[in-house]
Amino acid sequence: MTITLHVQGMTCGHCKMAVTNALKELDGVKHVEVHLQEGTVDVDYDETKVSVEKLKEAIEEQGYDVK
């Protein structure tokens, strides 16, 4: 399953890496693509292993707001 999350506060390469790494640590996340200009993150994941709430929590723990 693929979801696009709207993330506020990402401005640079470090932000992109922090969000990508946090999501990839979750079991069930297959692919992450961060779009800094749009403020979005596309996540391809296995919904039987990880929930949308867990995806949001991982991003929020890095200091970003998920809308």
Side-chain angles (χ1 to χ4, degrees):
M1 178 161 228
T2 302
I3 188 171
T4 300
L5 300 171
H6 296 275
V7 181
Q8 293 182 327
M10 298 186 303
T11 58
C12 64
H14 177 267
C15 300
K16 182 176 182 175
M17 195 64 74
V19 169
T20 300
N21 289 341
L23 289 169
K24 284 189 173 180
E25 285 179 9
L26 297 174
D27 186 38
V29 173
K30 299 172 188 170
H31 180 74
V32 176
E33 189 158 347
V34 176
H35 305 280
L36 289 176
Q37 297 290 345
E38 294 86 7
T40 60
V41 180
D42 296 332
V43 186
D44 183 18
Y45 68 102
D46 182 341
E47 66 273 13
T48 65
K49 293 184 178 180
V50 66
S51 67
V52 173
E53 282 307 311
K54 288 287 184 195
L55 299 175
K56 290 180 179 180
E57 283 176 21
I59 295 170
E60 289 169 349
E61 284 174 5
Q62 297 303 309
Y64 305 102
D65 292 324
V66 182
K67 299 297 173 200

